[in-house]
Structure formats: structure tokens, C-alpha cells
Amino acid sequence: MRKSCKKRKGKFSNGVNKTKIIISSNSGFCFGVKRALDIARRALRKRGTIYSFGPIIHNPQVVDGFSGKGLKIIKALKEIKSKKRYLLIPSHGISPDALRKKNISYIDTTCPFVSRVQKIVKDLREKGYFIIIVGDRKHPEVKGLVGMAGRNSCVLEDKKEAKNLNLKSKKAALISQTTATLADFKEILSEIGKKNFMELVSFNTVCKNTIDRQREAASIAEKVDTMIIIGGKNSANTSKLAKTCKMVNRNTHHIESRRDLKIKFLKDKKNIGIATGASTPPYAIDEVVNEIRRFDN
Ligand code: SF4
């Protein structure tokens, strides 16, 4: 069984057990998350204690591991007690307001793809566009983009909100959170396109890793009896992945770890698909596979 788990990517069946498990090849940490964790590890080794505005990534198990090594999660700068203050900017970035503080050294783990969107927003603002951000308004990445876009902006979460949008501006630009779904972005763009603008520009800034992950997971979900999506419940990209798979397979379950697996998810199921969010550690997949095999036996 261990041998099968190491193989991890793609289809496998151990030939003895009855359940066939298909694991998405786009599983485990994405490039941006791996990079952020490497930077944080190096900083912790050098500094001992560092602070992070919110969780470094949206996976409670991984964050707990980093807390044990000296990473302290804060919501406000006043929570920082020590005189030498090192503040880690998580992979999804933060609002520029939070960066205007003195006596703090920043350790920036913002994913380059998120930085790219921030740069586009800054540019659009300078050119006077009304900026429409497709995404989850409570997500730190979106809050950061709103902070950069300023007052001449809004966030749209779905097609209904796009339909109800009443704008005076004749010059608008549409961009997306890096972990939005392509389907939401296209639907909202189509709705906005019906409005009376003199100029509308759009930037599909959903990151490629997110798109590949969603495409492959949906294609697996179509073929299997049950689809398991592993990742933090607070992870936007994992929730969107589950939503995408649920559209093609109602037996899609979003779990954080093997502990959330229920017998009813597995009972009488011959084919099970597995995909993960971008902040899910590879060992979480092994644990779920082992749990399914235990159920088999
Ligand atoms: S999902 Fe994309 S944008 Fe987000 S951290 Fe990963 S690579 Fe970067």
C-alpha cells in the first residue's frame, strides 16, 4: 500500500483491494505555497520568532506545524510584543495600509502571481478605471486588492451581483482573484459586458495552477462514484475546487483530513477520485488513501 501511495499522481489500484482510486496529478502544494513555506522556514531558522498577518497559508494542520516552530499569527500589529519585529506577508498578500508601519522588517512571501495582479490593479487605478474584482470579498487577497484599487472599485462574487451592479463610470476594468473559478469569471464578464460602458477591459488573472487543478478535478469527478476534495475549510481555492466538482458530481465531499472521511462517502463505491487545494500537504493525500484502503479491508 505504501508503494502505491508514493506513486501518488494518476490512477492506481493495488490489484487486491476493490476500490479504484484516481488522484489528480495537480494535487498537493502549488508553486506559490511551496515558495512561501520555504521562505518562512528559512526566516524562522534565522530569526526564531516571526509574526504573520493571518495564517501563512489556508491549511490549519500546516499552520499548526509552523506555530510550533515560532510563527505567531496576529490580526493587528499591536499584538507584536518583541522589540525586533519581523512580519511575514502571507502568499496571498495583504492590504498596503498594513505595510505603512515603521520599525518592522517585512518577510514577503506574496506569490508572484498575486503580485502581478496587484501591479495590474495599481496600473488601472493610475489610469482612472473603475476596477471590478471578481472574488470572495472576505478573502485576504481580495481585501489587499481592494486596498490597492481604492474607492473607485467593487467586488463581485457572482453573476447576480454583476447583474445588479449600477455604475456611473464609463471606463471599467475587470480582474479576478487568482483562485476564483474560470466559470465565475466568464459569467460575470458576460453580465458586465451587457452594461453601458464606453470602455471595458478585462484581465483573466485566475492563476494557471488554479485553472489546471479545476479542469483535471472536474474531469476526474465526471468519471467516479465519489469525489473527495482535501483542503482547509478556510481555503478559497479548495472550496472553489469542491464547488466545481459538485457541478458535475453531486457525491463530492470537501474534507480537511482523513478524520472527516465518513463511511457513507465510501460505501458501495467502486471508483473514488481525489483532488486537493493548493495549500494541502502531500501527506494528507497518503492519509486519506490509507483510510480508504482500511475501509476496503
Ligand atoms: S494558487 Fe496560484 S496564485 Fe495562489 S499561491 Fe498558488 S500559484 Fe500562487
Side-chain angles (χ1 to χ4, degrees), residues 159-193:
K159 192 178 161 184
K160 199 172 156 212
E161 287 186 358
K163 204 169 184 170
N164 294 335
L165 184 71
N166 183 14
L167 277 178
K168 304 273 185 293
S169 177
K170 294 287 175 201
K171 187 174 159 178
L174 194 79
I175 58 134
S176 64
Q177 181 181 352
T178 54
T179 49
T181 69
L182 207 49
D184 282 347
F185 180 75
K186 283 181 184 168
E187 271 189 4
I188 290 173
L189 175 61
S190 140
E191 209 50 61
I192 295 292

Side-chain angles (χ1 to χ4, degrees), residues 91-92 111-118 133-136 139 141-142 145 175-182 204-211 214 236-237 240:
S91 54
H92 38 251
C111 173
F113 299 125
V114 176
S115 303
R116 178 179 159 255
V117 189
Q118 293 173 341
I133 302 161
V134 175
D136 172 0
H139 192 277
E141 178 186 333
V142 174
L145 293 177
I175 58 134
S176 64
Q177 181 181 352
T178 54
T179 49
T181 69
L182 207 49
N204 171 10
T205 46
V206 179
C207 106
K208 185 171 180 308
N209 185 281
T210 303
I211 295 171
Q214 288 170 359
N237 77 82
K240 295 278 162 67

Side-chain angles (χ1 to χ4, degrees), residues 8-9 23-34 37 57 59 62 209-210 213 216 230-231 235 237-238 241 274-286:
R8 191 172 288 126
K9 307 219 164 149
I23 303 174
S24 169
S25 62
N26 287 290
S27 291
F29 293 143
C30 66
F31 152 79
V33 165
K34 263 188 220 147
L37 297 180
I57 61 167
N59 184 282
V62 174
N209 185 281
T210 303
R213 224 170 257 267
E216 192 184 0
I230 316 168
S235 157
N237 77 82
T238 312
L241 196 63
I274 296 177
T276 80
S279 46
T280 304
Y283 68 78
I285 305 169
D286 289 356

Side-chain angles (χ1 to χ4, degrees), residues 103-119:
N103 305 324
I104 289 185
S105 301
Y106 293 97
I107 299 156
D108 191 0
T109 76
T110 308
C111 173
F113 299 125
V114 176
S115 303
R116 178 179 159 255
V117 189
Q118 293 173 341
K119 201 167 161 288

